[in-house]
Structure formats: structure tokens, C-alpha cells
Amino acid sequence: MTTHDEHPVDGPAENGGLPDPRSVIEGTDWAELEHAYGAAHDTPLRLCQLLDEDSEVQAGALGMLDMSVLHQESLYSATAPAALYMAAILDDPRTLAQHENYSTWDDRPRPLRAALLDWLGQVADSAAYGETTGEADGNAPGVSDAVRAVRGTLHTAVSAQLLAPDPTVREAALGAASALLQAPDLAGCITGTTRHLRRLLKESTDRRERAATVLTIGSWGEDTTGWLADPDPAVRACAALAPGCTGNSQATQVLLHFLLEPAAVDAWFREPTTSDPWVEDPLPQIDGRLRYALLSAAVERANHFEELLPVAMASVPFCSNLTVADDWGPLLAAAFPTGYRQDVEFTPAQHRYLSALADRDVCWRYTHLIASWLRDVGLPADRDAIRALLGRAR
């Protein structure tokens, strides 16, 4: 095992409010702390092994720490000091060792530093659970508060990696920073963190990285309007998605413009699909495909369905019974905001869109998947009945 005496950690990890790793190990009474399997007396060994010269040993140590001090995303009394130690060693050159098994959830060859950042982000996510809602988190009394108390220190270490040379480290740092900044007491760090990311956006040429960065900045409530005219269409679209752009007519037009070409939007990134859900990780702040997020925002922001009609018609060739919750279901709700009434004629926009859907065979397979969406707007869940209504309206 590599010890701290053999390889002292110095430099940036000792600055900016970060503790000396050795002091975390030696100044913590580990035998009095617990993890998922009882007393945490083995935790210091595992932490020290993170700086072993053998990447296999490093990977094994992180795996054991993940199972013990963050078991199934639960927090323990040993979690806070373990997280402090990991934050304090992020700048150690030994954390640049590459391995493909640093985590069970990501088998890409990458530096230990990226895996540590991912782990710190998971700790932050767990600590944020129930913090603002009062919902019980299931952790022992005081444990969540202990982790929350060190989030400022963790953020200091994580934010220093946002401009790291390695893109996998930057990606992990962005995720960890986003998780940490859920903390109400770290709200004051958002502006400074955004300043780092604005620099990254100027320097990076990677589409996914730039899009992910803009989405994250927008999720913090920061201004993204400067990227509505970005040379990259994907970045423009992600900037328009920001909640701060909800009332911005330019942002709405950006969304509507790109949704006219669904295939082009789908080609921006390799994203999860129904047939291949693991093809790529989704973008941060996006649940599923980017196109569906753009469509959801457009539906929410459009003034009336007639404004959405070109987008709705462009989406029809991509609709099926499996996509109803993401595309044609919400569009039908927008088309019939007060529900369909038999004594009121279809508007031309309603008639055109509903006719296109009625003509698309794959939308009507296994109708139990679509029935509730149709019933919610007052329409029959039967295709022939829909066609009868459309024929009567002609």
C-alpha cells in the first residue's frame, strides 16, 4: 500500500480551504464512525489505497468505498470525512491513473479523478434529498447534516476541476458541481461557478460539452440569452431551453425553428432511444431525448396551437404509440386546451393535425398505451371513431 509519508500531498489540494489529506486520516476517529457494514475502521486503508501506484488497487478501493460509505446512495457517519479526503486528493497526480473499472456504472477507461468527482456528485445528490421538502431521507440522525456541512469544501475542490485538461474530468466536475449547487447554502457560489463555465464555453470546441454546460448554467437560473445566437445550433437550442428564457420570444422562435427538422435535432447527439436506451448518457437536466425537451418547452411557451402546427406536422413521421407521452400526446393537449366538444367544429389546425395522426398506422398499435391521452382531451380512443368525427367535420 502506498502511504502518505511516501507520497505527501501538497500544492493546490492544501489551498482554498481544503484539508490536508493526512489530517483527515489521522484526525478522524474512524472506529467511532460507521458505514453500511458496521464500524468504519477499514475506511482509512481504503482511502489511502486511492493513491496507490497500481490502478487495480485504486479501482478496488473506490469500489469498496462506494459499497460501504455510500451504499445504495445512503449516507453514514463515515461518509463526510471520506468525501473530504477524496476532495482533498483530487489534484494529486496519482488520480490521473486510467482504468476502466473505477465504477460499476461507467466502464469507460478514464482517470480516477473523474470517478472521484462522480462519486462526490452522488454524495451531494444524496445529501440534497429531502433537504428542502422535509421528506425523511432514511439516514441515521445527524448524518445528512454532517455531509451538508462539508459541501462548501467539496465545491471548492470540484470547481477547480471545471477547466481541467481532460474532458472526462471536466464532464464529471460539471455533474458534481451541479449536484452540490442544489444546496441552498451554496447559492452564492453559482455566479462564480458560472464564470468558470463561461470561459469553458469560449475555449471548448466539443458540441456535447458546450451543450451540457449551457443546460447546466440555465438550470441554475443564470442568463443564457447570449448563446441564442451561438454558431452551433445545438447550443442555441439548449440556451433556449433555460427556464430564464420562458418569456423570451427569440428563444421560443429558436425552439420552433429547430423542431421543424426533427431528424436534424436527433442527429446532434447520440441519445437514448426506445430500441437502444443505453446508446449514450442523456444530457444533463434532460430526461430522455433532447428533441422531446425542446417540444415540451415549445408547447408550454407557444401562445396558441396554430403557432405549434408546423412543428406538430413535422413531428408526425416520428410519432408512434410508444412516443405518445413525449410528442403527440402533449401536442393533442395543446390542440384541445379545453377539450373536444361535439357541438363545436374542429378548427382547421385541429383537423389537419388529427387527420395526420389518424393516417399514421404505428400510432394506433396497442391502443391501451394511448387511450388516456385521447380521453383526457375528450376524444375517442378508437381510430375509426376519430376518422368518423373528422369525416363529419368536412
PDB file of all heavy atoms in Angstrom, residues 320-351:
ATOM      1  N   SER A 320     -45.299   7.441 -32.695  1.00  0.00           N
ATOM      2  CA  SER A 320     -45.826   6.073 -32.622  1.00  0.00           C
ATOM      3  C   SER A 320     -46.590   5.938 -31.322  1.00  0.00           C
ATOM      4  O   SER A 320     -46.642   6.878 -30.508  1.00  0.00           O
ATOM      5  CB  SER A 320     -44.690   5.050 -32.676  1.00  0.00           C
ATOM      6  OG  SER A 320     -44.001   4.985 -31.430  1.00  0.00           O
ATOM      7  N   ASN A 321     -47.174   4.777 -31.100  1.00  0.00           N
ATOM      8  CA  ASN A 321     -47.862   4.568 -29.830  1.00  0.00           C
ATOM      9  C   ASN A 321     -46.881   4.635 -28.656  1.00  0.00           C
ATOM     10  O   ASN A 321     -47.257   4.986 -27.540  1.00  0.00           O
ATOM     11  CB  ASN A 321     -48.590   3.217 -29.834  1.00  0.00           C
ATOM     12  CG  ASN A 321     -47.638   2.043 -30.019  1.00  0.00           C
ATOM     13  OD1 ASN A 321     -46.679   2.127 -30.788  1.00  0.00           O
ATOM     14  ND2 ASN A 321     -47.896   0.938 -29.338  1.00  0.00           N
ATOM     15  N   LEU A 322     -45.603   4.338 -28.910  1.00  0.00           N
ATOM     16  CA  LEU A 322     -44.601   4.340 -27.845  1.00  0.00           C
ATOM     17  C   LEU A 322     -44.112   5.730 -27.493  1.00  0.00           C
ATOM     18  O   LEU A 322     -43.510   5.932 -26.439  1.00  0.00           O
ATOM     19  CB  LEU A 322     -43.401   3.460 -28.250  1.00  0.00           C
ATOM     20  CG  LEU A 322     -43.700   1.984 -28.486  1.00  0.00           C
ATOM     21  CD1 LEU A 322     -42.452   1.258 -28.952  1.00  0.00           C
ATOM     22  CD2 LEU A 322     -44.254   1.335 -27.217  1.00  0.00           C
ATOM     23  N   THR A 323     -44.362   6.709 -28.364  1.00  0.00           N
ATOM     24  CA  THR A 323     -43.868   8.066 -28.106  1.00  0.00           C
ATOM     25  C   THR A 323     -44.966   9.012 -27.649  1.00  0.00           C
ATOM     26  O   THR A 323     -44.709  10.208 -27.495  1.00  0.00           O
ATOM     27  CB  THR A 323     -43.207   8.654 -29.368  1.00  0.00           C
ATOM     28  OG1 THR A 323     -44.206   8.913 -30.369  1.00  0.00           O
ATOM     29  CG2 THR A 323     -42.147   7.715 -29.932  1.00  0.00           C
ATOM     30  N   VAL A 324     -46.163   8.513 -27.439  1.00  0.00           N
ATOM     31  CA  VAL A 324     -47.300   9.400 -27.180  1.00  0.00           C
ATOM     32  C   VAL A 324     -47.063  10.338 -25.997  1.00  0.00           C
ATOM     33  O   VAL A 324     -47.489  11.498 -26.013  1.00  0.00           O
ATOM     34  CB  VAL A 324     -48.602   8.585 -26.983  1.00  0.00           C
ATOM     35  CG1 VAL A 324     -48.517   7.690 -25.748  1.00  0.00           C
ATOM     36  CG2 VAL A 324     -49.823   9.503 -26.918  1.00  0.00           C
ATOM     37  N   ALA A 325     -46.375   9.881 -24.968  1.00  0.00           N
ATOM     38  CA  ALA A 325     -46.165  10.725 -23.798  1.00  0.00           C
ATOM     39  C   ALA A 325     -45.172  11.843 -24.070  1.00  0.00           C
ATOM     40  O   ALA A 325     -45.133  12.833 -23.321  1.00  0.00           O
ATOM     41  CB  ALA A 325     -45.682   9.890 -22.611  1.00  0.00           C
ATOM     42  N   ASP A 326     -44.378  11.698 -25.128  1.00  0.00           N
ATOM     43  CA  ASP A 326     -43.322  12.665 -25.398  1.00  0.00           C
ATOM     44  C   ASP A 326     -43.634  13.617 -26.543  1.00  0.00           C
ATOM     45  O   ASP A 326     -43.048  14.698 -26.615  1.00  0.00           O
ATOM     46  CB  ASP A 326     -42.016  11.925 -25.734  1.00  0.00           C
ATOM     47  CG  ASP A 326     -41.512  11.086 -24.574  1.00  0.00           C
ATOM     48  OD1 ASP A 326     -41.355  11.648 -23.486  1.00  0.00           O
ATOM     49  OD2 ASP A 326     -41.294   9.872 -24.771  1.00  0.00           O
ATOM     50  N   ASP A 327     -44.512  13.205 -27.460  1.00  0.00           N
ATOM     51  CA  ASP A 327     -44.753  14.107 -28.591  1.00  0.00           C
ATOM     52  C   ASP A 327     -46.241  14.325 -28.875  1.00  0.00           C
ATOM     53  O   ASP A 327     -46.804  15.348 -28.537  1.00  0.00           O
ATOM     54  CB  ASP A 327     -43.997  13.660 -29.849  1.00  0.00           C
ATOM     55  CG  ASP A 327     -44.126  12.182 -30.171  1.00  0.00           C
ATOM     56  OD1 ASP A 327     -45.136  11.564 -29.808  1.00  0.00           O
ATOM     57  OD2 ASP A 327     -43.197  11.637 -30.818  1.00  0.00           O
ATOM     58  N   TRP A 328     -46.936  13.347 -29.454  1.00  0.00           N
ATOM     59  CA  TRP A 328     -48.278  13.682 -29.922  1.00  0.00           C
ATOM     60  C   TRP A 328     -49.310  13.781 -28.812  1.00  0.00           C
ATOM     61  O   TRP A 328     -50.331  14.466 -28.980  1.00  0.00           O
ATOM     62  CB  TRP A 328     -48.729  12.754 -31.044  1.00  0.00           C
ATOM     63  CG  TRP A 328     -48.834  11.288 -30.796  1.00  0.00           C
ATOM     64  CD1 TRP A 328     -47.825  10.397 -30.646  1.00  0.00           C
ATOM     65  CD2 TRP A 328     -50.049  10.524 -30.750  1.00  0.00           C
ATOM     66  NE1 TRP A 328     -48.329   9.119 -30.497  1.00  0.00           N
ATOM     67  CE2 TRP A 328     -49.683   9.165 -30.573  1.00  0.00           C
ATOM     68  CE3 TRP A 328     -51.409  10.843 -30.857  1.00  0.00           C
ATOM     69  CZ2 TRP A 328     -50.622   8.138 -30.472  1.00  0.00           C
ATOM     70  CZ3 TRP A 328     -52.345   9.823 -30.780  1.00  0.00           C
ATOM     71  CH2 TRP A 328     -51.959   8.494 -30.577  1.00  0.00           C
ATOM     72  N   GLY A 329     -49.060  13.180 -27.662  1.00  0.00           N
ATOM     73  CA  GLY A 329     -49.977  13.370 -26.535  1.00  0.00           C
ATOM     74  C   GLY A 329     -49.989  14.815 -26.058  1.00  0.00           C
ATOM     75  O   GLY A 329     -51.053  15.463 -26.006  1.00  0.00           O
ATOM     76  N   PRO A 330     -48.832  15.392 -25.699  1.00  0.00           N
ATOM     77  CA  PRO A 330     -48.804  16.799 -25.307  1.00  0.00           C
ATOM     78  C   PRO A 330     -49.282  17.743 -26.411  1.00  0.00           C
ATOM     79  O   PRO A 330     -49.911  18.780 -26.124  1.00  0.00           O
ATOM     80  CB  PRO A 330     -47.325  17.032 -24.980  1.00  0.00           C
ATOM     81  CG  PRO A 330     -46.822  15.684 -24.570  1.00  0.00           C
ATOM     82  CD  PRO A 330     -47.546  14.713 -25.448  1.00  0.00           C
ATOM     83  N   LEU A 331     -48.996  17.410 -27.669  1.00  0.00           N
ATOM     84  CA  LEU A 331     -49.462  18.265 -28.754  1.00  0.00           C
ATOM     85  C   LEU A 331     -50.982  18.205 -28.898  1.00  0.00           C
ATOM     86  O   LEU A 331     -51.629  19.229 -29.180  1.00  0.00           O
ATOM     87  CB  LEU A 331     -48.786  17.859 -30.067  1.00  0.00           C
ATOM     88  CG  LEU A 331     -47.333  18.349 -30.217  1.00  0.00           C
ATOM     89  CD1 LEU A 331     -46.631  17.625 -31.350  1.00  0.00           C
ATOM     90  CD2 LEU A 331     -47.308  19.867 -30.442  1.00  0.00           C
ATOM     91  N   LEU A 332     -51.580  17.030 -28.705  1.00  0.00           N
ATOM     92  CA  LEU A 332     -53.043  16.943 -28.706  1.00  0.00           C
ATOM     93  C   LEU A 332     -53.636  17.779 -27.573  1.00  0.00           C
ATOM     94  O   LEU A 332     -54.657  18.458 -27.757  1.00  0.00           O
ATOM     95  CB  LEU A 332     -53.481  15.488 -28.557  1.00  0.00           C
ATOM     96  CG  LEU A 332     -53.655  14.649 -29.819  1.00  0.00           C
ATOM     97  CD1 LEU A 332     -54.091  13.249 -29.439  1.00  0.00           C
ATOM     98  CD2 LEU A 332     -54.663  15.297 -30.768  1.00  0.00           C
ATOM     99  N   ALA A 333     -53.002  17.728 -26.407  1.00  0.00           N
ATOM    100  CA  ALA A 333     -53.487  18.536 -25.283  1.00  0.00           C
ATOM    101  C   ALA A 333     -53.407  20.018 -25.608  1.00  0.00           C
ATOM    102  O   ALA A 333     -54.290  20.799 -25.215  1.00  0.00           O
ATOM    103  CB  ALA A 333     -52.674  18.210 -24.026  1.00  0.00           C
ATOM    104  N   ALA A 334     -52.359  20.410 -26.350  1.00  0.00           N
ATOM    105  CA  ALA A 334     -52.250  21.816 -26.759  1.00  0.00           C
ATOM    106  C   ALA A 334     -53.275  22.167 -27.826  1.00  0.00           C
ATOM    107  O   ALA A 334     -53.788  23.288 -27.875  1.00  0.00           O
ATOM    108  CB  ALA A 334     -50.841  22.085 -27.272  1.00  0.00           C
ATOM    109  N   ALA A 335     -53.579  21.192 -28.673  1.00  0.00           N
ATOM    110  CA  ALA A 335     -54.560  21.433 -29.738  1.00  0.00           C
ATOM    111  C   ALA A 335     -55.975  21.565 -29.186  1.00  0.00           C
ATOM    112  O   ALA A 335     -56.814  22.276 -29.760  1.00  0.00           O
ATOM    113  CB  ALA A 335     -54.508  20.302 -30.759  1.00  0.00           C
ATOM    114  N   PHE A 336     -56.262  20.867 -28.064  1.00  0.00           N
ATOM    115  CA  PHE A 336     -57.598  20.900 -27.462  1.00  0.00           C
ATOM    116  C   PHE A 336     -57.461  21.333 -25.983  1.00  0.00           C
ATOM    117  O   PHE A 336     -57.701  20.541 -25.073  1.00  0.00           O
ATOM    118  CB  PHE A 336     -58.255  19.531 -27.549  1.00  0.00           C
ATOM    119  CG  PHE A 336     -58.523  19.070 -28.955  1.00  0.00           C
ATOM    120  CD1 PHE A 336     -57.576  18.325 -29.647  1.00  0.00           C
ATOM    121  CD2 PHE A 336     -59.715  19.390 -29.595  1.00  0.00           C
ATOM    122  CE1 PHE A 336     -57.821  17.895 -30.938  1.00  0.00           C
ATOM    123  CE2 PHE A 336     -59.972  18.965 -30.890  1.00  0.00           C
ATOM    124  CZ  PHE A 336     -59.018  18.217 -31.568  1.00  0.00           C
ATOM    125  N   PRO A 337     -57.066  22.575 -25.749  1.00  0.00           N
ATOM    126  CA  PRO A 337     -56.782  23.015 -24.375  1.00  0.00           C
ATOM    127  C   PRO A 337     -57.992  22.958 -23.455  1.00  0.00           C
ATOM    128  O   PRO A 337     -57.836  22.812 -22.239  1.00  0.00           O
ATOM    129  CB  PRO A 337     -56.270  24.451 -24.555  1.00  0.00           C
ATOM    130  CG  PRO A 337     -56.822  24.887 -25.874  1.00  0.00           C
ATOM    131  CD  PRO A 337     -56.852  23.664 -26.722  1.00  0.00           C
ATOM    132  N   THR A 338     -59.206  23.075 -24.014  1.00  0.00           N
ATOM    133  CA  THR A 338     -60.414  22.977 -23.183  1.00  0.00           C
ATOM    134  C   THR A 338     -61.186  21.698 -23.480  1.00  0.00           C
ATOM    135  O   THR A 338     -62.319  21.538 -23.022  1.00  0.00           O
ATOM    136  CB  THR A 338     -61.323  24.198 -23.418  1.00  0.00           C
ATOM    137  OG1 THR A 338     -61.705  24.260 -24.804  1.00  0.00           O
ATOM    138  CG2 THR A 338     -60.612  25.491 -23.039  1.00  0.00           C
ATOM    139  N   GLY A 339     -60.562  20.792 -24.236  1.00  0.00           N
ATOM    140  CA  GLY A 339     -61.200  19.525 -24.563  1.00  0.00           C
ATOM    141  C   GLY A 339     -62.058  19.609 -25.819  1.00  0.00           C
ATOM    142  O   GLY A 339     -62.510  20.690 -26.207  1.00  0.00           O
ATOM    143  N   TYR A 340     -62.250  18.456 -26.445  1.00  0.00           N
ATOM    144  CA  TYR A 340     -63.097  18.405 -27.637  1.00  0.00           C
ATOM    145  C   TYR A 340     -64.563  18.352 -27.242  1.00  0.00           C
ATOM    146  O   TYR A 340     -64.957  17.632 -26.324  1.00  0.00           O
ATOM    147  CB  TYR A 340     -62.753  17.166 -28.468  1.00  0.00           C
ATOM    148  CG  TYR A 340     -63.773  16.871 -29.534  1.00  0.00           C
ATOM    149  CD1 TYR A 340     -63.915  17.705 -30.631  1.00  0.00           C
ATOM    150  CD2 TYR A 340     -64.621  15.764 -29.424  1.00  0.00           C
ATOM    151  CE1 TYR A 340     -64.859  17.436 -31.613  1.00  0.00           C
ATOM    152  CE2 TYR A 340     -65.570  15.486 -30.399  1.00  0.00           C
ATOM    153  CZ  TYR A 340     -65.691  16.333 -31.495  1.00  0.00           C
ATOM    154  OH  TYR A 340     -66.634  16.082 -32.451  1.00  0.00           O
ATOM    155  N   ARG A 341     -65.377  19.146 -27.967  1.00  0.00           N
ATOM    156  CA  ARG A 341     -66.831  19.123 -27.765  1.00  0.00           C
ATOM    157  C   ARG A 341     -67.501  18.849 -29.099  1.00  0.00           C
ATOM    158  O   ARG A 341     -67.170  19.466 -30.112  1.00  0.00           O
ATOM    159  CB  ARG A 341     -67.312  20.459 -27.215  1.00  0.00           C
ATOM    160  CG  ARG A 341     -66.905  20.717 -25.773  1.00  0.00           C
ATOM    161  CD  ARG A 341     -67.238  22.143 -25.361  1.00  0.00           C
ATOM    162  NE  ARG A 341     -68.594  22.523 -25.779  1.00  0.00           N
ATOM    163  CZ  ARG A 341     -69.038  23.791 -25.776  1.00  0.00           C
ATOM    164  NH1 ARG A 341     -68.241  24.771 -25.385  1.00  0.00           N
ATOM    165  NH2 ARG A 341     -70.273  24.050 -26.157  1.00  0.00           N
ATOM    166  N   GLN A 342     -68.452  17.927 -29.096  1.00  0.00           N
ATOM    167  CA  GLN A 342     -69.098  17.536 -30.347  1.00  0.00           C
ATOM    168  C   GLN A 342     -69.908  18.660 -30.964  1.00  0.00           C
ATOM    169  O   GLN A 342     -70.166  18.654 -32.168  1.00  0.00           O
ATOM    170  CB  GLN A 342     -69.990  16.314 -30.113  1.00  0.00           C
ATOM    171  CG  GLN A 342     -69.209  15.064 -29.764  1.00  0.00           C
ATOM    172  CD  GLN A 342     -70.060  13.809 -29.862  1.00  0.00           C
ATOM    173  OE1 GLN A 342     -71.074  13.784 -30.561  1.00  0.00           O
ATOM    174  NE2 GLN A 342     -69.654  12.753 -29.156  1.00  0.00           N
ATOM    175  N   ASP A 343     -70.323  19.618 -30.159  1.00  0.00           N
ATOM    176  CA  ASP A 343     -71.126  20.722 -30.707  1.00  0.00           C
ATOM    177  C   ASP A 343     -70.262  21.875 -31.216  1.00  0.00           C
ATOM    178  O   ASP A 343     -70.786  22.912 -31.627  1.00  0.00           O
ATOM    179  CB  ASP A 343     -72.100  21.242 -29.641  1.00  0.00           C
ATOM    180  CG  ASP A 343     -71.388  21.748 -28.399  1.00  0.00           C
ATOM    181  OD1 ASP A 343     -70.244  21.313 -28.143  1.00  0.00           O
ATOM    182  OD2 ASP A 343     -71.967  22.583 -27.667  1.00  0.00           O
ATOM    183  N   VAL A 344     -68.939  21.694 -31.180  1.00  0.00           N
ATOM    184  CA  VAL A 344     -68.024  22.731 -31.677  1.00  0.00           C
ATOM    185  C   VAL A 344     -67.172  22.112 -32.787  1.00  0.00           C
ATOM    186  O   VAL A 344     -66.563  21.065 -32.599  1.00  0.00           O
ATOM    187  CB  VAL A 344     -67.114  23.266 -30.549  1.00  0.00           C
ATOM    188  CG1 VAL A 344     -66.124  24.297 -31.116  1.00  0.00           C
ATOM    189  CG2 VAL A 344     -67.958  23.880 -29.433  1.00  0.00           C
ATOM    190  N   GLU A 345     -67.136  22.768 -33.928  1.00  0.00           N
ATOM    191  CA  GLU A 345     -66.367  22.231 -35.052  1.00  0.00           C
ATOM    192  C   GLU A 345     -64.863  22.298 -34.782  1.00  0.00           C
ATOM    193  O   GLU A 345     -64.378  23.179 -34.078  1.00  0.00           O
ATOM    194  CB  GLU A 345     -66.689  23.022 -36.334  1.00  0.00           C
ATOM    195  CG  GLU A 345     -68.087  22.795 -36.871  1.00  0.00           C
ATOM    196  CD  GLU A 345     -68.267  23.436 -38.246  1.00  0.00           C
ATOM    197  OE1 GLU A 345     -67.285  24.011 -38.757  1.00  0.00           O
ATOM    198  OE2 GLU A 345     -69.390  23.349 -38.776  1.00  0.00           O
ATOM    199  N   PHE A 346     -64.147  21.339 -35.375  1.00  0.00           N
ATOM    200  CA  PHE A 346     -62.686  21.401 -35.336  1.00  0.00           C
ATOM    201  C   PHE A 346     -62.215  22.696 -35.995  1.00  0.00           C
ATOM    202  O   PHE A 346     -62.771  23.138 -37.009  1.00  0.00           O
ATOM    203  CB  PHE A 346     -62.066  20.230 -36.108  1.00  0.00           C
ATOM    204  CG  PHE A 346     -62.234  18.885 -35.457  1.00  0.00           C
ATOM    205  CD1 PHE A 346     -62.811  17.834 -36.156  1.00  0.00           C
ATOM    206  CD2 PHE A 346     -61.801  18.666 -34.152  1.00  0.00           C
ATOM    207  CE1 PHE A 346     -62.944  16.582 -35.580  1.00  0.00           C
ATOM    208  CE2 PHE A 346     -61.941  17.417 -33.564  1.00  0.00           C
ATOM    209  CZ  PHE A 346     -62.518  16.375 -34.270  1.00  0.00           C
ATOM    210  N   THR A 347     -61.168  23.284 -35.443  1.00  0.00           N
ATOM    211  CA  THR A 347     -60.506  24.367 -36.161  1.00  0.00           C
ATOM    212  C   THR A 347     -59.701  23.743 -37.302  1.00  0.00           C
ATOM    213  O   THR A 347     -59.396  22.541 -37.278  1.00  0.00           O
ATOM    214  CB  THR A 347     -59.547  25.140 -35.245  1.00  0.00           C
ATOM    215  OG1 THR A 347     -58.454  24.277 -34.866  1.00  0.00           O
ATOM    216  CG2 THR A 347     -60.258  25.637 -33.986  1.00  0.00           C
ATOM    217  N   PRO A 348     -59.334  24.518 -38.298  1.00  0.00           N
ATOM    218  CA  PRO A 348     -58.507  23.942 -39.385  1.00  0.00           C
ATOM    219  C   PRO A 348     -57.220  23.297 -38.863  1.00  0.00           C
ATOM    220  O   PRO A 348     -56.814  22.249 -39.368  1.00  0.00           O
ATOM    221  CB  PRO A 348     -58.220  25.154 -40.274  1.00  0.00           C
ATOM    222  CG  PRO A 348     -59.402  26.060 -40.061  1.00  0.00           C
ATOM    223  CD  PRO A 348     -59.753  25.900 -38.602  1.00  0.00           C
ATOM    224  N   ALA A 349     -56.594  23.912 -37.858  1.00  0.00           N
ATOM    225  CA  ALA A 349     -55.345  23.359 -37.317  1.00  0.00           C
ATOM    226  C   ALA A 349     -55.608  22.038 -36.606  1.00  0.00           C
ATOM    227  O   ALA A 349     -54.855  21.070 -36.772  1.00  0.00           O
ATOM    228  CB  ALA A 349     -54.697  24.363 -36.365  1.00  0.00           C
ATOM    229  N   GLN A 350     -56.680  21.976 -35.824  1.00  0.00           N
ATOM    230  CA  GLN A 350     -57.020  20.730 -35.139  1.00  0.00           C
ATOM    231  C   GLN A 350     -57.316  19.617 -36.145  1.00  0.00           C
ATOM    232  O   GLN A 350     -56.854  18.479 -35.992  1.00  0.00           O
ATOM    233  CB  GLN A 350     -58.248  20.953 -34.241  1.00  0.00           C
ATOM    234  CG  GLN A 350     -57.988  21.808 -33.020  1.00  0.00           C
ATOM    235  CD  GLN A 350     -59.285  22.168 -32.313  1.00  0.00           C
ATOM    236  OE1 GLN A 350     -60.372  22.166 -32.916  1.00  0.00           O
ATOM    237  NE2 GLN A 350     -59.189  22.488 -31.029  1.00  0.00           N
ATOM    238  N   HIS A 351     -58.094  19.957 -37.169  1.00  0.00           N
ATOM    239  CA  HIS A 351     -58.484  18.964 -38.162  1.00  0.00           C
ATOM    240  C   HIS A 351     -57.269  18.431 -38.904  1.00  0.00           C
ATOM    241  O   HIS A 351     -57.120  17.206 -39.107  1.00  0.00           O
ATOM    242  CB  HIS A 351     -59.478  19.579 -39.155  1.00  0.00           C
ATOM    243  CG  HIS A 351     -60.181  18.579 -40.012  1.00  0.00           C
ATOM    244  ND1 HIS A 351     -59.569  17.956 -41.093  1.00  0.00           N
ATOM    245  CD2 HIS A 351     -61.447  18.058 -39.948  1.00  0.00           C
ATOM    246  CE1 HIS A 351     -60.419  17.126 -41.651  1.00  0.00           C
ATOM    247  NE2 HIS A 351     -61.568  17.170 -40.983  1.00  0.00           N
TER     248      HIS A 351
END
